[in-house]
Amino acid sequence: MNMVQRATEALNRTLPDRAVDPLSTARRVVGQAVSRLDGPSKVTGGATFTADIDQPGLAYASMVPSRVASGRIRHIDVTRAANAPGVIDVITHHNAPAMDTPVLMTLTAKGCAFTDVAPLQDDVVRWNGQAVAVVVAESQECADSAARLVDVVYDAAPARTSFRGLLSEAVFPADVLGEPSEVSRGDVEDTLSQAAFVVDEVYTTPPHHHMAIELHATMAQWSPGDKLHVWDSTQALGRTRHSIAHAVGVPEENVTVTCRAVGGGFGNKTVWDHQLLCVAAARVTGRPVRLVLRRQDVFRMTGGRAPTWQRVALGAAPDGHLQALVHDSVTGIVHENSPEQVSVPARHLYASDTYRIGQKKVVLDVVPNASMRAPGDSVGSFALESAIDELAGHLGIDPIELRSRNEPAVDPTEGTRFSKRHLMEAYRRGAERFGWPDRNRVPGARRDGRWLVGHGTASAFYPYIRMPGGKARIRITADGHAVVTAAANDMGMGTETVQVQHAAERLGLPLDRVSFEFGDSTLPDSPIAAGSAQTASLVITVAQAAEELKKVLLRRAPRHSALHGLKPADVVFRDGGLYRVSDPAQGVSFETLVGEVRHVDAVGSSPMLPLEFMKYSMHGYGAHFCEVRVDATTGETRVSRWVACIDAGRIINPKTAASQIRGAVIMGIGSALMEEGLVDSRAGRTVTASAADYHMPVHADVCDIDVSFLDIPDPLTPMGVHGVGEIGIVGVAAAIANAVHNATGVRVRDLPITLDKIIDGGAAR
Amino acid sequence: MREFSYAKAVDPEEAVRLAGTGARYLGGGTNLVDLMREEIETPTALIDVSGLAQGITETPGGGIEIGAATSNTAVAAHPRVRHDYPMLARAIVSGASGQLRNMATVGGNLLQRTRCAYFYDEAARCNKRSPVSGCDAREGFHRAHAVLGVSEQCIATHPSDMCVALVALDAQVDILGPAGARAVPLEQLHREPGDTPHLETVLAPAELITAVRLPQATVAANSTYRKVRDRASYAFALVSVAAALRVEDGTVSEVRIALGGVASRPWRAHLAERELLGAPATAESFRRAAETEFRAARPSRDNAFKVSLAPRVVADVLEGLIR
C-alpha cells in the first residue's frame, strides 16, 4: 500500500458514515419474489443477442489462432486465403490498422482488458491461440474455412507454460489489488511447530474456464466522420467503449457501444483481441463486420481462472483455539491486475494468534487469465475451508463449533470493525435446514446400498464492492410512469428486474408503472457489472437521481398546492406522487406535477467514492451444507443435497437472488468434481477446448439447491444490499471435498475430485 | 469454403452407386457434421442414407434385424430390445443426449470416430487424422484413452456405448458394396490401430452398412450395461461394461462381457469369459477373471486407473446379474 492510500484511509476513518438508507426496510415492492422481466423473451427466443443483430452489407470475420506459445512469425502467406471464395480481405500484422495498447482492467481506471498488447501490431506471438490474422468474407463459413488457409511459419521460442514446473520461481507481486501481497503477525512457524494440533497441507486447483453459453460476439460499423458503432456481448458497456476508442484512436464520444442481452459473463465478457480486430476489419473493409468466437477460440483467445498452489497450515490448542494460520500461495498469472486473489478469505475469516497470509505469482506465456466468478476467493476458500475441516477432524470438534470458537471480534488482519457479520447465524440457520445434527460423524461409516454417504460444510465469503462513478436518469412521463435509464449491463442476472423493483419502491409507484432502459453507451454511464457490485452501484445512483427529481418536481408544484414552498426533505414519494412528510394526506400526483410538458427528467450521480470499505470490514458471508454419495466400487461422486444460507445484506428480490446463488453453487460443483483446463506444456496449448472436453455439470449432476438469505441489511450500503452474484460459489468446492472425505475417509486436495483420485486414495473396494 | 455435393439415396443400391471417391455416407450427422466443421473430414460428396432401412424386424432364427438408418432412440425404445437385449437399450440411453439419440443412426454409431482431443485439434500431431505425423496424446493428456488394443501410433478410445453391447451380443453387420453384399461380425468390423490408425474399419471404399442383426440369445435377457464416467450424463465412458450372465447351481454356465472406454475398439472380453465358464459365480472369481483380461493392458500415465477400476466394475455388474 502506498502513502497516498494510507493517508486516504486515515482521513477516511474520521469521516462520518452515510445515513442509513430509509429503504433498507421497505417491503412493498423490494423484497418481493418478482419473476425476471426479461424471462419470457429469453425463453421464447425473443431477446436479441449480439450475434442476432444484422446489418445490410454485413461481412463476417474469423480469426487465425497461433500454434506456438512464444516466438515470432517468420513468414505469413495469405495468398491461398485471399483467393478463397467469398473472401473480402485478410488482415495480418503487415496491414492491420495501428492500434494503441489496451488499458488493463482495474477497479478504478476505465480499462477493461486483461491483455495489454494490441493485436496484429507486430510479429511477436505471446500465447498459443493468439490471433495472428483475421479473414473477412461474405459468409461465416467462407471466413472460417479461409482462415485455415493462412500459412504461417513460426520461429518458436521457449515458453513458460507449466505452472507446476515453475513453482520454484514464484515471486511476490507488487500488491494484490492494492493490498499487501503478504500480511503477517508474530512468529507463525514457531507457533505452528509447538501447537498441539496441526494441519499442514498443500492444495491445488487447475485452470478453469467461464464457459458462458453465449459465444463472445461483436459487430462493428464505421460511419462518416470517424463515428463507430459497436454491438458487443460485454459486461462493461462504458469501459468497452473507452477501451475501443483508446485503442483505435478516436474520441470516446465518437463511439457507441450497444448491448441489450448477454448470455452469461462471469467476468470474461470484457475486452479481448476480438473486439479490436472486428473494429479493425470493419475499418479495413469499409463494411459492417460481425465476429463471433468459435467455442475453441473462447478457450484459447479469452482467459479463464488461473491455476493455484496453496499451502495451508493451521496450529490449534486442544479446545480449537487457532494459534497459527499460514496461507502461502502461488497463482499462475500474466498481469498483476488479475492476481487470482486466493489469499483474501484467510485475511478476514478467522482470528488467529499468529498468521502469515500471502500469495506469490508465476508469470506464464498463456492467454492472460481473467476474473472468473469470485476470483481468488473461490479457489482460495477451497484450500482454507478444507484445512479447517481437516483440523476439526483432528480435534474431534464439530467444524461449525470450531469456526464459532475462532470468530474474530474485528477484522483479523485489518483491525477494522465489521459493518455487519452474521456468519454464525448463517451456520445456525443452514444447519437447521440441512439437518446437520443427523450427519454422518465417522468418515466412511454411512452406507446406502452402493453409495457411501457423507456430509460437509464450508463458509461462503465475498467482499462488498461498490464501483465508483456512474449516473442515472429518472424520467416521469405525463401519464405518471417512471423510466429509469442507465447504460448498465444485464448478463442474465436480473439487473432490469431489480432496478425496476428498486425504482418502484423509491418512487412510490406500482411495478407496472416503472421501466428500466439500459444497454447502450448513449445512456447515462454506469460502472462495469463486476465484483457483484452493480446492484449497489446503480441503487445509490438512482437514489441520488430520485433526490434530484424531488427538487425538479417541487419547482413545478402549483402555487396553490400542498407542496408549494417545500424542500426535498419535507416530501416523500408515495402513491404515484409527492406527499408531505408532516401531513401524509397532503400531496400532488406525478401527472399534475408533470402537467403540460411530456415528461420531467432528473439525473443523479454516484455521490462519493466508495470509501466505506476502507473504514469498515465489509463482506458477505454464508454457510454451505452438502450431502454427497460416492459409489463404493467406482468412486463416482454425486451431490445429493445442498443447503446454502447466505448473509448478503438486504435482498431486493429473493427469486433472482436465489437463482444467482443456485447458479454459483452449480458452478462450484463443477469446479469441485469435473472442471479442469488442461494446458499441454509442450506447446502451451489448451487441450480441453470444447464443451465435450471441458466438463461442467449437466442437469443430472445437480440436485435441489435450497437457498435462503438472512436478509439483514448492512447499515452502510445503499438499501442495505450486498452483491449476490459471486458469494455463492465460494466454499462450494471445500464443502464437497469435506463431504467426500466424510463419506470415504479419502481427502482429495487437488481439484477436481475425480473418481481416480478417490480410488487411488483407497476408498473404493 | 469447402463445397460438397449432397444427394439423398432412395435405396442402398443407389447409395452405393452414388458413392464415388471422396464421398461419405450421411446418417444423423451427429459426428460427421462436427468433423466437417473442423475440416477433419472433408468429403466432396455426401450421400444421405438416413432415409434408408429403418425399423426392427424379427429374423427366422428368433433374433432381430435393425435397419442401419434406425435412430438410436427407436432401438432403445423397442419392446423386443428392452425385453430380450436390455444391455443394448441401456447402453444406448447412457450415451449422448436425447436430442442426439433422436438424430443418430445405428450405422452412424458404428462408424463414429474417437473423441481424442488431439484428433480434433489440427495443430496437434495425430496419426489417425494425418498418418505418420506422430501422436501427441501418448505424451500428452490421455486420461480418457485406451489401455487395450493400443499401439505405439495410437491410444485413442472407441467412443461408442451401443457397440459395446452389440459386440457382447454377437451382432452381425450387413454390408453392401460395389462388389455386392457381405456380412461381418461386429467384432471384426473395427480394426486395432497398429501401424495404420487411420484405417478404423474393414469397410472397403463405398461399402455401406445396411443392417445389424442380433442372433437370439437367451442369456441376454439377463443382461445390463454399466457406464462409469466423470459426470452423471453426457460424458464418454471412462469404463463401461456390457454383461450377460446365466448361473446354474452357483456356477457360471453362460457369460458375455464387453468393455467400453478402455479399448481402441468395442472390446469383447473373451479371456475373462473363458476363465469364468464353469467357475463359481462369486465376486472373487468375477474379479479375477476380469483381471485376466487386463494382463495385456498397456496403460499410460493418466489412464492407469482403468486397469484396476475396470475389473471392479465387471465384478460389480456380474454380481448384480446374479440377484
Side-chain angles (χ1 to χ4, degrees), chain B residues 79-211:
Chain B
R80 268 298 305 270
V81 173
R82 293 169 64 91
H83 187 263
D84 293 346
Y85 311 97
M87 67 158 75
L88 177 58
R90 287 177 194 156
I92 290 172
V93 298
S94 74
S97 65
Q99 295 93 325
L100 287 167
R101 294 193 297 267
N102 288 344
M103 290 297 292
T105 63
V106 168
N109 191 313
L110 263 48
L111 298 182
Q112 67 175 306
R113 308 196 68 187
T114 185
R115 269 31 176 221
C116 173
Y118 297 98
F119 172 68
Y120 272 81
D121 180 7
E122 59 189 349
R125 295 178 307 155
C126 174
N127 289 323
K128 191 182 273 300
R129 176 169 34 79
S130 178
V132 208
S133 63
C135 170
D136 272 344
R138 184 164 274 288
E139 302 294 321
F141 296 108
H142 47 248
R143 184 167 166 274
H145 286 62
V147 297
L148 293 172
V150 297
S151 71
E152 278 301 309
Q153 283 68 36
C154 187
I155 55 172
T157 310
H158 193 274
S160 173
D161 292 299
M162 188 185 80
C163 289
V164 178
L166 290 179
V167 79
L169 295 170
D170 287 334
Q172 297 281 313
V173 180
D174 288 348
I175 297 163
L176 183 69
R182 64 177 179 133
V184 298
L186 177 70
E187 196 178 1
Q188 288 165 26
L189 178 71
H190 300 95
R191 296 166 181 255
E192 288 186 15
D195 290 333
T196 54
H198 60 291
L199 301 177
E200 295 176 348
T201 68
V202 299
L203 292 178
E207 279 197 319
L208 172 70
I209 294 172
T210 55

Side-chain angles (χ1 to χ4, degrees), chain A residues 5 62 64 96 107 111 190 226 229 296 462 495 510 520 538 551 615-616 626 726:
Chain A
Q5 266 178 308
S62 188
V64 180
L107 187 62
D190 187 55
D226 253 4
H229 197 152
Q296 62 262 45
Y462 194 73
T495 308
D520 195 285
L538 286 176
K551 293 181 201 164
K615 185 175 174 183
Y616 288 91
C626 71
E726 300 176 79

